[in-house]
Amino acid sequence: MGFIKAFSGAIGGTFADQWKDFYGPKSGVPATAAVFQAEPQGTNAGRGSNTQGSENIITNGSKIIVPEGCALITVQDGQITGLITEPGGFEFRSDDPNSKSFFAGDGIISSTIKTSWERFKFGGQPGSQQLAFYVNLKEIPNNKFGTQSEIYWNDAFLNTQVGAVTRGTYTLKIVDPLLFLKNFVPANYLGANAPVFDFADMDNDAATQLFNEVVSTLSAAFSNYTNDPSKGNRISNIQGDQIGFAQAMSKAVEDAYQWKSSRGLEIVKTAILAIEYDEDTKKLLSDVKKADALSGARGNAFMQQAVARGVEAAGENPNGGGAAMAFMGMGMNAAGGMMGGVAQPNTNTPNPFMTAGTPAPAQTPVQPAPVDQTPAQPVAPQPATSTEPTAGTSASATDPYQELTKLKSLLDAGVITEEDFNAKKKQLLGI
């Protein structure tokens, strides 16, 4: 008992004229439908009417059409007796030794369902009830998911737990129609005059179960994606990577509920409509954006501008010299040496901030020992206690901070060498 392939491609008028029963898809089936019954066509484009068929029996010699993107499964008394996944026209023959029950072609799906066919096939003779059902093999759109409260997962890039409320849609694909019918579709969708198994039907408990399972694995799906180095470890990439996140979601539901291996289902694409991160995650992401903005060459340019602004401000503030030196020293990786030289000035060396030719600071005169009965003891000269120039001394003609800033610019431009810069710096700062 099985089918003989009549032709491939579009149905022809001659084929339609020579039928006892002529089966085709049920009309008005939505795109979200997964399983719907094949119906005998009472009339065919005005060519006549079928009066020879029996209800719920596929008559020997009946013709059946399998559209592109569908599989046809025949069921006898609850057992699967035939499977066709090739598009085209077929003739049902229960008495022809050349008839076959399995047509899967050489496509990708054939290797997937051959094992299932061997498990579930039933080689019975025409009995009391024979039905045919179409299974949608195309991507089934607009399957929704969403959370009412935050879900949390550990994020490798942020190195902490993050949380968000999210919603979106995904597309489903039935990759093994036999597994899907045998293990998942409720019996009331596989009987005579059965309703359409529609994933968008709010009264479809099986579809509701899939929704709940997806929601329960969303945190694992986000974790799969954001902790995958090949995805860049960035949660901000999720909304623009519908296939990558679909793979992460499909893996999460497969690990938890075995959709593909036990139900013949898989998630193909996702569309995330919204992600609302919790307050802690928002703050972390804000810090990451700032860090990214100041990384690399942009960060170096920002630091150079900050150094220049600090030096300029110090030149305008007579009390800001010490702070400016510290700021400049950090920029040159020499803060320790420079501050050490400035913090403890040596009064035996010329003041580095005095220009050449400036008179030395006045010395405190040595006072003679008072006349006493004991011999006078010599008094050692006292070091100078003032580093301020005496009255009439002109101010320094050169500001060492401005001079160093100019020299650093010449060094960055390649006009002078590092050795020239260091030698001049030592001269200006008295190091």
Side-chain angles (χ1 to χ4, degrees):
M1 181 179 69
F3 294 91
I4 297 175
K5 188 170 185 177
F7 66 90
S8 299
I11 187 170
T14 302
F15 180 81
D17 287 338
Q18 298 174 356
W19 46 277
K20 291 182 178 181
D21 287 348
F22 182 77
Y23 286 85
K26 189 174 183 177
S27 60
V29 175
T32 52
V35 180
F36 45 95
Q37 193 169 355
E39 292 185 341
Q41 309 297 306
T43 60
N44 187 62
R47 292 186 176 93
S49 62
N50 175 22
T51 59
Q52 304 180 49
S54 300
E55 186 176 6
N56 299 327
I57 291 292
I58 303 175
T59 309
N60 195 35
S62 294
K63 309 300 189 294
I64 195 161
I65 186 73
V66 180
E68 189 78 40
C70 286
L72 179 89
I73 294 179
T74 55
V75 177
Q76 178 180 313
D77 299 329
Q79 298 288 336
I80 295 174
T81 58
L83 170 67
I84 303 173
T85 62
E86 298 180 31
F90 296 82
E91 182 177 347
F92 179 75
R93 284 289 179 184
S94 61
D95 55 356
D96 193 320
N98 296 317
S99 64
K100 297 191 300 181
S101 298
F102 183 78
F103 286 89
D106 298 322
I108 297 175
I109 196 172
S110 62
S111 60
T112 304
I113 62 176
K114 281 179 181 177
T115 301
S116 298
W117 169 251
E118 293 300 324
R119 288 170 56 193
F120 300 134
K121 68 181 179 180
F122 176 73
Q125 296 298 316
S128 59
Q129 187 182 68
Q130 293 172 304
L131 303 171
F133 294 91
Y134 291 103
V135 180
N136 189 354
L137 300 182
K138 298 178 181 179
E139 284 187 48
I140 300 174
N142 203 33
N143 300 280
K144 296 178 173 60
F145 66 87
T147 60
Q148 294 182 344
S149 59
E150 287 87 354
I151 56 172
Y152 293 92
W153 68 95
N154 292 324
D155 186 87
F157 180 74
L158 297 178
N159 197 31
T160 188
Q161 187 181 73
V162 297
V165 174
T166 184
R167 60 185 176 86
T169 62
Y170 62 91
T171 63
L172 273 176
K173 191 174 180 65
I174 299 171
V175 295
D176 191 327
L178 292 175
L179 281 178
F180 183 66
L181 256 66
K182 196 74 175 178
N183 294 344
F184 188 69
V185 177
N188 62 301
Y189 291 98
L190 298 176
N193 303 313
V196 174
F197 183 96
D198 188 354
F199 282 114
D201 184 1
M202 299 300 294
D203 296 325
N204 186 340
D205 292 336
T208 301
Q209 178 65 26
L210 293 182
F211 170 85
N212 293 334
E213 291 177 1
V214 168
V215 171
S216 71
T217 57
L218 277 177
S219 61
F222 276 88
S223 180
N224 287 343
Y225 187 91
T226 59
N227 294 309
D228 184 354
S230 66
K231 302 297 188 295
N233 296 128
R234 291 296 185 100
I235 56 179
S236 57
N237 294 345
I238 292 177
Q239 287 177 279
D241 187 5
Q242 58 174 340
I243 295 178
F245 185 65
Q247 292 170 346
M249 184 184 290
S250 183
K251 181 181 183 305
V253 297
E254 181 65 20
D255 291 344
Y257 300 105
Q258 294 78 51
W259 276 22
K260 187 173 182 179
S261 56
S262 67
R263 298 172 179 172
L265 281 171
E266 70 177 359
I267 294 173
V268 183
K269 295 184 180 70
T270 59
I272 296 183
L273 303 179
I275 300 179
E276 182 66 27
Y277 299 108
D278 65 9
E279 291 303 319
D280 290 340
T281 304
K282 288 179 181 178
K283 293 176 182 177
L284 285 171
L285 290 173
S286 177
D287 291 341
V288 168
K289 286 194 294 185
K290 293 174 184 176
D292 288 347
L294 295 178
S295 63
R298 182 179 295 175
N300 292 335
F302 178 83
M303 181 59 71
Q304 291 173 2
Q305 292 173 10
V307 170
R309 287 193 297 269
V311 171
E312 181 180 358
E316 296 174 354
N317 182 3
N319 298 320
M325 282 188 64
F327 195 90
M328 185 183 298
M330 285 188 292
M332 298 177 181
N333 296 321
M338 290 179 62
M339 293 305 294
V342 174
Q344 299 295 332
N346 186 350
T347 55
N348 294 325
T349 58
N351 190 331
F353 306 111
M354 300 292 289
T355 58
T358 302
Q363 300 292 326
T364 303
V366 178
Q367 299 294 329
V371 178
D372 201 352
Q373 298 297 327
T374 58
Q377 298 296 325
V379 179
Q382 297 298 315
T385 59
S386 173
T387 57
E388 295 296 327
T390 57
T393 301
S394 61
S396 175
T398 303
D399 187 335
Y401 307 122
Q402 294 182 1
E403 188 68 20
L404 279 175
T405 303
K406 295 177 182 177
L407 289 172
K408 185 62 169 64
S409 300
L410 293 175
L411 174 63
D412 293 340
V415 177
I416 63 174
T417 65
E418 186 76 26
E419 291 77 11
D420 295 335
F421 174 77
N422 289 333
K424 189 64 175 177
K425 180 177 69 174
K426 290 180 180 181
Q427 177 185 349
L428 290 170
L429 300 179
I431 299 175

